[in-house]
Amino acid sequence: MGYFSLDSFFNFLLYTGTGLILILIGIVAFAFTTKFSEWNLIKEGNIAVALKLWGKVIGLGITLYTVWSSSVHILDAFIWGLIGIATQVVVYLIIEYVLTPKTSLEKKVEEGNTAVGFSLFAVGITVGLIIAGSLSY
């Protein structure tokens, strides 16, 4: 009885690498939803921006976890991962421009409004959970 196989290890590396690539793609996609440099503001200590960004990343991680556990092939997982990224971007844009048209959430976060940053952090995780649940049909 073998507990370890080279084939399983290569699959582990393939899925881990693909997941990390999808996280990077997600971070780049999320950056396109803002007019400011998130990295510079995070370096300056803007907690609101950090919360906003990492809430989306955690939500994406939750989505990828579900995708990985229910995918039939790495290409299937990659495609659904991209769909998860796109869905998170679309939901953020809906919240920013449709649900809160009189308040620029982006500007509030850039100014360091921690309450808005935390709210977007929670939204990022919640959207990730909803997407993950939708993928586990």
Side-chain angles (χ1 to χ4, degrees):
M1 262 169 61
Y3 293 104
F4 179 84
S5 74
L6 207 50
D7 188 46
S8 295
F9 182 69
F10 286 135
N11 278 331
F12 163 77
L13 292 177
L14 179 64
Y15 276 82
T16 300
T18 302
L20 293 174
I21 288 168
L22 282 166
I23 292 289
L24 290 175
I25 291 171
I27 290 171
V28 170
F30 302 153
F32 281 116
T33 65
T34 58
K35 296 175 183 155
F36 53 82
S37 170
E38 292 172 324
W39 295 114
N40 287 340
L41 290 174
I42 290 170
K43 286 179 190 175
E44 293 171 7
N46 189 319
I47 294 171
V49 172
L51 287 167
K52 174 185 170 255
L53 174 64
W54 294 109
K56 289 179 188 177
V57 173
I58 292 168
L60 179 56
I62 292 166
T63 298
L64 293 179
Y65 174 81
T66 300
V67 166
W68 269 210
S69 65
S70 62
S71 66
V72 294
H73 189 271
I74 190 68
L75 181 59
D76 176 52
F78 186 78
I79 290 169
W80 284 107
L82 290 176
I83 291 169
I85 293 167
T87 304
Q88 279 202 320
V89 168
V90 168
V91 168
Y92 173 77
L93 294 174
I94 289 170
I95 290 169
E96 175 73 40
Y97 298 109
V98 177
L99 298 180
T100 60
K102 295 181 181 180
T103 303
S104 172
L105 299 178
E106 178 181 11
K107 186 73 175 156
K108 295 287 185 190
V109 169
E110 184 179 11
E111 293 169 352
N113 186 320
T114 307
V116 172
F118 182 78
S119 296
L120 293 173
F121 174 85
V123 165
I125 294 171
T126 302
V127 169
L129 287 167
I130 291 169
I131 294 168
S134 301
L135 291 169
S136 63
Y137 56 88

